[in-house]
Amino acid sequence: MIVLSLALFLLLGNVDVDVVTMPLTNDVKVVLAPSGRVELKREGTVSHVRVDIDRVGPPANAAPAMNTYVVWAVSPEGAFDNLGELDAGGGKGQFSGTTRLTEFGLLITAEPHYMVDRPSATVVFRTQNSLDPRRKTTSIPVGAYDYSMLKPISGAGVHASVTQARTAFQIAQLLGADQLAPQEFRNAQVAMGSLQELLMRAAPLDIIWPTANEAIRWSEKAAEVARGKKN
């Protein structure tokens, strides 16, 4: 059933999402399809989001070259808020985060790295339709970026952040960011060089992670600039 749903989402480029209007008080519980639970709570100007998923496989099982899962809040108008990375391990998934949106649905997508600014077409979980009068369904466009040319990168022996950094840099390269976003691409190159040096020295994760994060950030920025100049 999950595989069939994914194929449908990839084909249509849209997904129906149950949007919740947050009350001023009381917690809200939402079903995450095909299997999962969401707890929402509004405190002041912030909506707290907690996700629990009982069954989730590796991102690469959902689509080639995907390295992580990203949790999105999406408004009825289609504005996306990247809430962060799903903590997936041991077949289960968990997430806690916040958004300033007061009316939103949730998507969880498989992504090449966690700093993407638009959800891929590989939607693996979404808030489900409900008869609750505070909720309504809206159709959300997904799959703005084509990742079909990405080559999967082996994550054997390295932290997931390293695989994401290498994939983010590959995206920038495929978009021609070396020509279209030379400064941002150069910064990404420098960060990737530093990351490779740390790996060769077998540096500890608390040193590798910030450098991988920097490489992802600059690669994503280079990709954004390159896309903007192509459009």
Side-chain angles (χ1 to χ4, degrees):
M1 179 64 71
I2 295 177
V3 174
L4 183 61
S5 299
L6 288 177
L8 182 64
F9 294 159
L10 285 166
L11 178 64
L12 298 179
N14 285 273
V15 58
D16 288 338
V17 178
D18 183 18
V19 174
V20 179
T21 300
M22 292 298 296
L24 295 178
T25 57
N26 300 328
D27 296 354
V28 177
K29 294 185 178 180
V30 185
V31 174
L32 202 62
S35 62
R37 301 168 301 284
V38 179
E39 293 184 6
L40 306 173
K41 183 176 183 180
R42 189 72 181 174
E43 290 186 346
T45 61
V46 173
S47 297
H48 293 265
V49 178
R50 177 177 174 82
V51 174
D52 287 288
I53 300 172
D54 294 329
R55 296 185 302 278
V56 58
N61 287 0
M66 296 300 177
N67 302 309
T68 190
Y69 293 107
V70 170
V71 181
W72 304 87
V74 55
S75 74
E77 300 77 26
F80 296 107
D81 186 5
N82 181 334
L83 302 187
E85 194 172 18
L86 181 74
D87 181 12
K92 298 182 181 296
Q94 292 185 327
F95 173 81
S96 293
T98 61
T99 179
R100 292 193 175 276
L101 294 174
T102 58
E103 190 176 14
F104 61 95
L106 291 181
L107 293 177
I108 299 179
T109 56
E111 300 291 348
H113 62 84
Y114 78 98
M115 286 191 189
V116 290
D117 65 334
R118 291 289 186 276
S120 77
T122 312
V123 179
V124 289
F125 297 97
R126 61 186 173 89
T127 43
Q128 189 178 44
N129 294 343
S130 169
L131 297 179
D132 189 320
R134 291 176 304 190
R135 305 176 193 179
K136 60 185 179 182
T137 301
T138 187
S139 183
I140 302 299
V142 295
Y145 303 144
D146 180 8
Y147 295 129
S148 62
M149 298 298 292
L150 277 179
K151 295 181 180 179
I153 295 175
S154 173
V158 297
H159 188 259
S161 62
V162 175
T163 307
Q164 292 186 45
R166 289 171 173 168
T167 305
F169 188 70
Q170 183 186 163
I171 292 171
Q173 288 177 308
L174 290 171
L175 288 168
D178 57 334
Q179 298 295 320
L180 298 173
Q183 185 57 58
E184 292 82 2
F185 187 77
R186 175 57 181 162
N187 290 339
Q189 280 184 311
V190 170
M192 288 299 298
S194 298
L195 178 60
Q196 185 59 33
E197 184 177 346
L198 290 173
L199 291 171
M200 292 177 64
R201 290 163 41 195
L205 179 57
D206 60 348
I207 296 177
I208 288 175
W209 161 241
T211 306
N213 183 70
E214 188 76 351
I216 296 170
R217 185 174 70 85
W218 278 115
S219 296
E220 171 63 14
K221 182 62 178 176
E224 289 176 10
V225 173
R227 288 188 182 107
K229 290 185 177 179
K230 282 188 172 187
N231 295 335

